[in-house]
Amino acid sequence: MKTLVLGIGSPFADDTAGWLVADSLAQQAELTDLIATGVLTIATEDRPGLDLLCWLECDYQQIYLIDMVKTNLAETGNIYTLRAKEIIGFSGMLSSHNLGVSPSLALAEVLGFNINNIEFWGIEGERYRPDQQISSAMLNSVSKVVKELLNKLIKI
């Protein structure tokens, strides 16, 4: 089963969460063979917007998207795991990106892309400006997400 882990973010504070998860997973010895054989692709994107559709065009049977979210509903570090269709139109999830994951997935669905194979991991963040540092709560949650995804990935 071809699988993609895509860390989404920007170089600013808590918004680096998706990148940190992807980078940490890419360094896990347990995943070396899966990456080398092309079964697992781990990548990062800087605020992909509609470029997310390019990843969806590839022949992945499972896609994990990881990004910081700001819902104002929970504390920093809260982890959300949702299927793609669950986040489409969810107005409580804000993105620091010009065109976030939710509208990009909504467009993908309208265009006929299969989005049933997408699992979104959002980590509640609060800091996303260039003058801020990543929060300790975000770093703790990044570690948790890495462990949970590693457990899923070693089974493919």
Side-chain angles (χ1 to χ4, degrees), residues 3 28-29 80 96 118 121 145:
T3 300
Q28 300 296 316
Y80 306 90
S96 63
I118 299 171
W121 290 65
V145 171

PDB file of all heavy atoms in Angstrom, residues 3 28-29 80 96 118 121 145:
ATOM      1  N   THR A   3       1.814   4.900   0.674  1.00  0.00           N
ATOM      2  CA  THR A   3       1.342   5.826   1.693  1.00  0.00           C
ATOM      3  C   THR A   3       2.142   7.113   1.641  1.00  0.00           C
ATOM      4  O   THR A   3       3.350   7.097   1.434  1.00  0.00           O
ATOM      5  CB  THR A   3       1.469   5.181   3.094  1.00  0.00           C
ATOM      6  OG1 THR A   3       0.688   3.994   3.125  1.00  0.00           O
ATOM      7  CG2 THR A   3       1.012   6.122   4.186  1.00  0.00           C
ATOM      8  N   GLN A  28      13.138   7.894  11.443  1.00  0.00           N
ATOM      9  CA  GLN A  28      12.880   6.681  12.226  1.00  0.00           C
ATOM     10  C   GLN A  28      13.435   5.460  11.497  1.00  0.00           C
ATOM     11  O   GLN A  28      13.054   5.170  10.359  1.00  0.00           O
ATOM     12  CB  GLN A  28      11.381   6.498  12.472  1.00  0.00           C
ATOM     13  CG  GLN A  28      10.727   7.629  13.226  1.00  0.00           C
ATOM     14  CD  GLN A  28      11.260   7.788  14.627  1.00  0.00           C
ATOM     15  OE1 GLN A  28      11.443   6.819  15.367  1.00  0.00           O
ATOM     16  NE2 GLN A  28      11.510   9.035  15.007  1.00  0.00           N
ATOM     17  N   ALA A  29      14.317   4.733  12.170  1.00  0.00           N
ATOM     18  CA  ALA A  29      14.958   3.561  11.580  1.00  0.00           C
ATOM     19  C   ALA A  29      13.938   2.519  11.127  1.00  0.00           C
ATOM     20  O   ALA A  29      14.138   1.843  10.111  1.00  0.00           O
ATOM     21  CB  ALA A  29      15.930   2.948  12.583  1.00  0.00           C
ATOM     22  N   TYR A  80      -6.363  16.726  16.875  1.00  0.00           N
ATOM     23  CA  TYR A  80      -7.593  16.347  16.176  1.00  0.00           C
ATOM     24  C   TYR A  80      -7.222  15.340  15.093  1.00  0.00           C
ATOM     25  O   TYR A  80      -6.284  15.569  14.335  1.00  0.00           O
ATOM     26  CB  TYR A  80      -8.236  17.547  15.484  1.00  0.00           C
ATOM     27  CG  TYR A  80      -8.503  18.725  16.386  1.00  0.00           C
ATOM     28  CD1 TYR A  80      -7.542  19.721  16.555  1.00  0.00           C
ATOM     29  CD2 TYR A  80      -9.712  18.854  17.049  1.00  0.00           C
ATOM     30  CE1 TYR A  80      -7.780  20.817  17.373  1.00  0.00           C
ATOM     31  CE2 TYR A  80      -9.964  19.945  17.868  1.00  0.00           C
ATOM     32  CZ  TYR A  80      -8.990  20.917  18.026  1.00  0.00           C
ATOM     33  OH  TYR A  80      -9.233  21.995  18.832  1.00  0.00           O
ATOM     34  N   SER A  96      -3.629  29.163   9.071  1.00  0.00           N
ATOM     35  CA  SER A  96      -2.772  30.336   8.921  1.00  0.00           C
ATOM     36  C   SER A  96      -2.340  30.494   7.466  1.00  0.00           C
ATOM     37  O   SER A  96      -1.584  31.382   7.129  1.00  0.00           O
ATOM     38  CB  SER A  96      -1.538  30.198   9.820  1.00  0.00           C
ATOM     39  OG  SER A  96      -0.774  29.081   9.427  1.00  0.00           O
ATOM     40  N   ILE A 118      -7.806   9.944   2.943  1.00  0.00           N
ATOM     41  CA  ILE A 118      -7.063  10.995   3.626  1.00  0.00           C
ATOM     42  C   ILE A 118      -7.465  11.074   5.090  1.00  0.00           C
ATOM     43  O   ILE A 118      -8.647  11.142   5.418  1.00  0.00           O
ATOM     44  CB  ILE A 118      -7.298  12.363   2.958  1.00  0.00           C
ATOM     45  CG1 ILE A 118      -6.817  12.327   1.510  1.00  0.00           C
ATOM     46  CG2 ILE A 118      -6.597  13.480   3.738  1.00  0.00           C
ATOM     47  CD1 ILE A 118      -7.196  13.545   0.697  1.00  0.00           C
ATOM     48  N   TRP A 121      -4.450  15.148  10.562  1.00  0.00           N
ATOM     49  CA  TRP A 121      -4.020  15.297  11.946  1.00  0.00           C
ATOM     50  C   TRP A 121      -3.746  16.776  12.166  1.00  0.00           C
ATOM     51  O   TRP A 121      -2.793  17.327  11.605  1.00  0.00           O
ATOM     52  CB  TRP A 121      -2.759  14.482  12.219  1.00  0.00           C
ATOM     53  CG  TRP A 121      -2.995  13.006  12.211  1.00  0.00           C
ATOM     54  CD1 TRP A 121      -3.374  12.236  11.148  1.00  0.00           C
ATOM     55  CD2 TRP A 121      -2.870  12.121  13.315  1.00  0.00           C
ATOM     56  NE1 TRP A 121      -3.499  10.930  11.534  1.00  0.00           N
ATOM     57  CE2 TRP A 121      -3.184  10.829  12.859  1.00  0.00           C
ATOM     58  CE3 TRP A 121      -2.517  12.290  14.654  1.00  0.00           C
ATOM     59  CZ2 TRP A 121      -3.174   9.717  13.682  1.00  0.00           C
ATOM     60  CZ3 TRP A 121      -2.490  11.181  15.471  1.00  0.00           C
ATOM     61  CH2 TRP A 121      -2.815   9.914  14.995  1.00  0.00           C
ATOM     62  N   VAL A 145       2.102  12.776  18.244  1.00  0.00           N
ATOM     63  CA  VAL A 145       1.652  12.459  16.889  1.00  0.00           C
ATOM     64  C   VAL A 145       2.681  11.570  16.183  1.00  0.00           C
ATOM     65  O   VAL A 145       2.313  10.614  15.492  1.00  0.00           O
ATOM     66  CB  VAL A 145       1.357  13.742  16.078  1.00  0.00           C
ATOM     67  CG1 VAL A 145       1.110  13.427  14.607  1.00  0.00           C
ATOM     68  CG2 VAL A 145       0.165  14.482  16.680  1.00  0.00           C
TER      69      VAL A 145
END
